[in-house]
Amino acid sequence: MSYEGELTKISLAVDLAGLKLRSPIMNASGVLGISIPLLKRVYNSGTGAVITKSIGPLSRPGHPNPTMVHVEGGVLNSMGLPNPGVDYFSIEVKELSDAGVPVIASFFASTIDEFTDSSIKLERAGARALELNLSCPNVSGESGMCATDPYTTEKVTAAVKSVTKLPLFVKLSPNVTDIIPIAKAAEFGGADAITVTNTLKGMAIDIDFKKPILSNVTGGLSGPALKPVALRYVWEIYEAVKIPIIGCGGINNWRDAVEYLLAGSTALEVGTAIMTHGFEIFNEINEGISQYMVENKFNDLKEMIGLAHKS
Ligand SMILES: Cc1cc2nc3c(=O)[nH]c(=O)nc-3n(C[C@H](O)[C@H](O)[C@H](O)COP(=O)(O)O)c2cc1C
């Protein structure tokens, strides 16, 4: 992936915790479901790697419809993590990976054993990195929801890290009072990068039926409305930890992507914008960042990462 500027050839390659990416842009987990042909299209549209939907230890149907509603500034979803289970999905990860696509496998579980078992299976299937989705309901025997509890975050991260050689990215939830102790717990547990963030809890009411629109009552807000919140978290976490950050939340165009890089992200994930802009969004962002680098005389993406902290 390179940008042919008037005089300059710009590379967007980044090293994300040892994972070499041709572009810092990736798809955010889940937005395209589990379709392998769609994930291949994502990669062919210019991403550095593809991220799978979060896979659980066993298949589960997710919540009944309606599970998604458009709201001002974004989308609310309460899919309920529907997925075919890690054994079935490992076959699909292998197919993608055999086709030359760098796969980051996102996964969740309810017990430490399930977390470690899934990570071993996904590594064997050919995943190049793992993204730990800690927005799971709880880890049995522990004190609470993983992503809201530093102790559980560290314990799960360390357990997974002890059974895999792959780079491990820990994805945090914005639904917390203070994200810093949780980010530090992930780093202390051995995370190689932190993904910031998952969706922000919200709801919508149908005023004609006079009841909540989503069957689950609440859902996760994604899209442009999430961007200032997630960007602020990237900013704060950048000052608190030493490991790389993957920015995620409301990236809708190349300007948003540049903001996230300047705030301290090494790589970026785009979710809801795929639904609103199509697969072309990846190429548009690559082109926009390249043009910005030429205009601002940056030779390497590294020069931009966290730059806004220095001014
Ligand atoms: C329909 C839908 C399904 C999602 N499924 C997952 C999932 O399986 N695992 C996960 O970690 N995040 C999931 N997310 C959250 C996204 O990966 C991302 O963190 C969030 O949408 C913010 O990014 P965005 O504003 O670019 O969409 C989902 C989001 C949407 C909209």
Side-chain angles (χ1 to χ4, degrees), residues 27-33 52-55 67-68 75-79 81-82 106 108 131-135 171-172 195-199 220-224 226-227 248-252 269-275:
N27 63 302
S29 173
V31 175
L32 295 170
T52 69
K53 173 154 191 61
S54 294
I55 302 305
T67 52
M68 202 183 300
V75 167
L76 278 173
N77 94 83
S78 63
M79 307 302 286
L81 295 170
S106 167
F108 68 96
E131 185 172 79
L132 199 51
N133 177 3
L134 289 186
S135 306
K171 184 169 180 179
L172 301 187
T195 306
V196 187
T197 71
N198 213 309
T199 54
L221 176 68
S222 61
L226 178 61
K227 196 191 95 186
C248 175
I251 298 176
N252 214 31
E269 296 179 12
V270 176
T272 304
I274 310 171
M275 295 193 258

Side-chain angles (χ1 to χ4, degrees), residues 120-180:
I120 292 166
K121 287 176 176 163
L122 292 164
E123 178 169 357
R124 267 193 214 133
R128 301 273 299 281
L130 300 174
E131 185 172 79
L132 199 51
N133 177 3
L134 289 186
S135 306
C136 45
N138 73 41
V139 176
S140 54
E142 303 303 337
S143 57
M145 228 184 97
C146 322
T148 61
D149 177 45
Y151 171 76
T152 316
T153 298
E154 183 186 328
K155 191 160 176 178
V156 173
T157 305
V160 171
K161 203 53 201 164
S162 73
V163 297
T164 182
K165 288 190 208 67
L166 295 178
L168 178 62
F169 309 152
V170 175
K171 184 169 180 179
L172 301 187
S173 164
N175 303 304
V176 292
T177 316
D178 185 0
I179 207 164
I180 300 303

Side-chain angles (χ1 to χ4, degrees), residues 199-216:
T199 54
L200 190 61
K201 196 169 176 180
M203 72 176 294
I205 290 179
D206 184 318
I207 60 166
D208 296 319
F209 288 104
K210 301 166 187 71
K211 59 176 204 163
I213 294 178
L214 297 173
S215 70
N216 189 50

Side-chain angles (χ1 to χ4, degrees), residues 22 46 75 77 102 117 129 155 191 207 218 226 235 243 282:
R22 63 183 181 178
V75 167
N77 94 83
D117 185 53
K155 191 160 176 178
I207 60 166
T218 61
L226 178 61
W235 178 274
I243 52 179
F282 300 115

